[in-house]
Amino acid sequence: QEPLTETTEGSCINLTCSHLNIQTRDLICGYRHLPGQGPTCLTLITKDSKEVPDLPGHLCVAEDQQSSALWLAQPRCVNMALYYCSLG
């Protein structure tokens, strides 16, 4: 995962994670960790793409299954957080 990505309010952002060995049954979760709270899984996917219910955006897996990306369409200051992904 990229160590740091910044954007301005309202500008879309794409957060990419690399995965070396995605297996057919593996789940990828995009997390958001808000200040003062625990991490929350935004959505789970195994392949393709899925909308993120709490944010305008989606989580998708690349066709070669070597990476995933969390795309946020219009981030706002209230969405300022640590975002990361996990594979399991």
Side-chain angles (χ1 to χ4, degrees), residues 29-85:
C29 181
Y31 285 94
R32 174 174 58 185
H33 194 160
L34 293 167
Q37 298 179 22
T40 303
C41 182
L42 298 171
T43 193
L44 285 167
I45 60 174
T46 55
K47 60 181 180 178
D48 301 323
S49 179
K50 187 173 183 182
E51 295 295 316
V52 176
D54 296 337
L55 298 168
H58 62 267
L59 179 64
C60 62
V61 177
E63 284 185 36
D64 66 4
Q65 294 194 326
Q66 297 298 305
S67 66
S68 65
L70 178 62
W71 182 77
L72 304 177
Q74 297 174 338
R76 301 286 175 217
C77 286
V78 296
N79 302 126
M80 188 171 56
L82 174 64
Y83 291 86
Y84 54 94
C85 54

Side-chain angles (χ1 to χ4, degrees), residues 11-32:
S11 298
C12 66
I13 188 168
N14 193 41
L15 309 169
T16 304
C17 294
S18 296
H19 308 288
L20 299 177
N21 296 307
I22 295 177
Q23 303 299 314
T24 307
R25 295 181 182 161
D26 284 341
L27 289 171
I28 297 171
C29 181
Y31 285 94
R32 174 174 58 185

